[in-house]
Each structure stands twice: as structure tokens, then as C-alpha cells.
Amino acid sequence: EHMRQYNEELHTANEELLSMNDELEERVSELRDAAEASRHKDDFLAMLAHELRNPLAPIVSAMHVLRLHPEDARLVQHAREVVERQVAHQARLLDDLLDVSRITRGKIELRKATVDLAGVVADAVETTRPLIAERHHALTVQLPEGPLHVHGDATRLGQVIANLLNNAAKFTDPGGAIVVTVAPETTD
């Protein structure tokens, strides 16, 4: 009788331990998920901080042009367009920042459409031109004669190209050459 009671107690204790183990494993899984979400958020915020700085240089340059040439209607119009584009770009980035649910899931919405890469490259060059000029680089942009359409997110593509140009400007020796070539992929 004593052995049966002892076995029942052991069985009950074993069941309790198994239940506690399941609860611990579930908690560990939740903690891993929370850590992963936190890492995604940190990565996103680091990327966003970098991206929010990029449009500031062309805005400052445009304001400088407005200060120096307020009577030149063509330059004023161009500077206004630069500021409008860059502010719209920053607004999109701020929208991303405000959508905390996407940050915690590590997802950024892509707004895909048919995009002409020439315009995307032009905007990216505009964003990075102050750094390129500051480093006295020679920038050459080679575009196809006609439009080159892709299906993608114009803002994200522009960010990628601007980041590549920023890195080229930073890591090319002063006075060096930077070449951007946009061409369709050929299939042989």
C-alpha cells in the first residue's frame, strides 16, 4: 500500500513538473519572439534615422539657392520642386515610423507601381549631390534613351540608390569618379 501511494505521489509530481516545463517552454518562446520583435524595431529605427537625414542636404541646398538667387524664377521654381519632393519623401518615412505595428513585425509596406528608373535615379542624385559636390567627385549618370520601367516601390528604390551613391561618395577618394549606369538586363 505504501508503495502504491508513493507511486501515485511520484506520478502527480511528474505531471506537475511536465506541466511546469510546458509553461516554461511557452514563456521562453514568447521571450524569444519579443526579443526578435525588439531587434526588428531597433533595425528599423536605425535605418529610418539614416533615411531621415538624406533629404535634409538637398533641402538645405535649395534654401541656399533661394537665399542667393531670389529673383531667378527658374532657380526658385527648381528649388521649390526639390523641397517639395524631399519633404514628401520625409513624410513617407515619418508615416513608416508612426506605424508601430509594422515595426514590431519587421515589415515595411511596399507601394509597388510601374516606375521609370530614370526619375528614381534623378531623385537619388538630387538627394546625394551635396555630399558628392563636397567631396569634389565627378558624377556620371548613364541612362537608356527611352524609359526603363520596373514594377517596384519608387521611394524604396530611391532609398537604395541614394544609399549606394552616399556610400560611393563617402568611400571614393576625394576628386574621384562615380558612375551610375541604368540599363535593361540583356538576355543572351
Side-chain angles (χ1 to χ4, degrees), residues 89 138 144:
H89 179 68

Short mmCIF file of all heavy atoms in Angstrom, two decimals, residues 89 138 144:
data_model
loop_
_atom_site.label_atom_id
_atom_site.label_comp_id
_atom_site.label_asym_id
_atom_site.label_seq_id
_atom_site.Cartn_x
_atom_site.Cartn_y
_atom_site.Cartn_z
N HIS A 89 9.11 62.89 -49.38
CA HIS A 89 9.89 61.70 -49.04
C HIS A 89 9.99 61.55 -47.52
O HIS A 89 9.79 60.47 -46.98
CB HIS A 89 11.28 61.83 -49.68
CG HIS A 89 12.21 60.69 -49.39
ND1 HIS A 89 12.02 59.43 -49.88
CD2 HIS A 89 13.34 60.64 -48.64
CE1 HIS A 89 12.99 58.64 -49.45
NE2 HIS A 89 13.80 59.36 -48.70
N ALA A 138 33.46 63.55 -59.54
CA ALA A 138 32.86 63.69 -60.87
C ALA A 138 31.78 62.60 -60.97
O ALA A 138 32.08 61.41 -60.89
CB ALA A 138 33.91 63.50 -61.95
N PRO A 144 19.30 54.93 -70.25
CA PRO A 144 18.89 54.48 -71.58
C PRO A 144 18.16 55.62 -72.30
O PRO A 144 17.69 56.57 -71.68
CB PRO A 144 17.94 53.31 -71.29
CG PRO A 144 17.48 53.51 -69.90
CD PRO A 144 18.56 54.27 -69.19
#
